[in-house]
Amino acid sequence: MTLNSMANLAAIYNNQGRWKEAEELEVQVLQMRKRILGEEHPFTLTSMANLAVTYRNQGRWKEAEDLEVQVMQMRKGSLERSILLH
């Protein structure tokens, strides 16, 4: 199964309220994207944000907040580096 397919299936699970199954897939996708693409790649950051949504849906507010803050900081850093290069 490709990473995109896994992420899509996780989104379906999330929409169905099958949060534990979505979480398991999202964690796998996130780990693989970190390893293959790197921690700051946009797809990796999207995977982190998706996992945060699943945590939020489960009422795991602190974990969701921590991930969202991390995503925001990494995206901000990436944007700042991009601006400095131009």
Side-chain angles (χ1 to χ4, degrees):
M1 195 180 294
T2 68
L3 291 177
N4 287 339
S5 296
M6 290 171 69
N8 290 339
L9 181 57
I12 290 169
Y13 287 162
N14 215 337
N15 290 335
Q16 293 175 338
R18 296 164 63 182
W19 297 309
K20 192 63 184 165
E21 292 167 279
E23 178 188 349
E24 291 170 2
L25 274 178
E26 288 168 345
V27 167
Q28 289 177 33
V29 171
L30 177 57
Q31 290 171 343
M32 288 189 269
R33 283 185 169 163
K34 279 183 178 181
R35 189 177 71 246
I36 296 166
L37 302 173
E39 292 205 1
E40 293 188 8
H41 191 280
F43 291 166
T44 303
L45 297 177
T46 296
S47 293
M48 291 172 69
N50 290 342
L51 182 57
V53 168
T54 299
Y55 287 159
R56 187 174 65 232
N57 287 338
Q58 293 174 348
R60 294 162 64 182
W61 311 115
K62 182 63 176 151
E63 290 167 284
E65 178 185 5
D66 290 347
L67 261 185
E68 287 289 2
V69 168
Q70 188 178 357
V71 169
M72 180 190 63
Q73 289 172 340
M74 293 172 85
R75 285 185 172 156
K76 182 180 174 191
S78 179
L79 178 61
E80 289 170 350
R81 284 188 296 281
S82 177
I83 291 171
L84 289 175
L85 292 174
H86 289 87

